[in-house]
Every structure is written in C-alpha cells, then in structure tokens.
Amino acid sequence: MDQEFLDAVRDIIVKETKKIVQSETRKIVQEETKKIVQSETRKIVQEETKKISAQVEENTQILRALESNKDIQNARMDRMEHDLAQLLGSNKKIEDLEDRYIHHSHRIVIDTSEAVEKDAS
C-alpha cells in the first residue's frame, strides 16, 4: 500500500509539474512571440515610412517643378499680352495713318508778290 500511495503521489506530482511547465512554456512563448511581432512590426513600419517619405519627397519635387513651370508660363502669357497690346496699338496707328493718307487734303499757297529768278547753271 505504501508503494501504491507513493506511485499515486508521484503521478499527481508529474501531472501538476507538466501543467506548470506547459503553463510557463505558454507564457514564455507568448512573450517571445509578442516581442518578435513587435520587432517585425517596427521594422515594417520603418521600411514603409522610408518608402512614404521618399514618395513624399519625390511628389514635393514634382510640385515645385510644376509651380516653377506655371510661373514661367504665367510670365510668358504676361509678355504675350504685352506684345499683343503693342501690336494692337501699332495696328491702330497704321490704320489712322492709312485713313489720313486716303482722306488727306493739301493746301497749296502760291505767293506771287515777288518774282524769283533761278540760275540755269
């Protein structure tokens, strides 16, 4: 009977020890898994942040180039408007001159009070 009692106690101790070891192993595995997941997540976030930062920088450069191009195009448009205004002004002057040429009049004054001699030499 003593042997049976010892065997029963031994079985209980083995079962309880297995439960404790399994429980502790689960805790350790969960903690290590959590650390690994956090570490990998951190790496992924850093990599994605670098990619996003690079894309943002590229987009910023593109926008700056477009703004610069817009400023150049606006300056060209302003210059074209100025040139067009000059051409319109010149065209108006030409039209006025043509109108005066077509509708002109002359005033001829002949003064006969003195005779003027011209040398034929």
Side-chain angles (χ1 to χ4, degrees):
M1 187 169 268
D2 287 334
Q3 189 59 37
E4 287 177 14
F5 178 71
L6 287 174
D7 289 339
V9 169
R10 193 175 298 131
D11 286 341
I12 292 172
I13 291 173
V14 168
K15 286 179 185 177
E16 291 302 314
T17 303
K18 283 182 181 180
K19 286 181 185 178
I20 292 170
V21 167
Q22 287 175 345
S23 174
E24 290 301 313
T25 302
R26 273 193 214 106
K27 286 180 185 177
I28 291 170
V29 168
Q30 286 175 345
E31 288 175 8
E32 290 302 313
T33 302
K34 185 177 178 181
K35 288 178 185 178
I36 291 169
V37 168
Q38 287 175 341
S39 173
E40 291 301 313
T41 302
R42 202 173 298 118
K43 286 178 187 177
I44 291 169
V45 167
Q46 288 173 348
E47 289 172 5
E48 291 301 315
T49 300
K50 286 179 185 178
K51 289 178 186 177
I52 291 170
S53 296
Q55 186 64 49
V56 167
E57 180 62 28
E58 181 181 350
N59 291 349
T60 301
Q61 290 175 355
I62 290 169
L63 286 173
R64 285 183 181 148
L66 288 172
E67 285 176 352
S68 175
N69 189 31
K70 179 193 73 134
D71 292 342
I72 291 169
Q73 294 302 324
N74 285 342
R76 287 180 180 165
M77 287 295 291
D78 289 345
R79 180 66 186 172
M80 285 174 56
E81 287 175 2
H82 175 72
D83 291 346
L84 181 60
Q86 281 185 325
L87 287 172
L88 289 174
S90 296
N91 191 38
K92 178 78 171 141
K93 287 179 185 178
I94 290 169
E95 287 175 354
D96 288 345
L97 287 172
E98 285 176 346
D99 188 51
R100 283 190 217 162
Y101 180 75
I102 293 170
H103 300 98
H104 70 283
S105 62
H106 293 280
R107 183 174 166 205
I108 300 174
V109 177
I110 300 175
D111 186 9
T112 57
S113 60
E114 276 187 34
V116 178
E117 287 188 32
K118 291 186 179 178
D119 276 339
S121 44

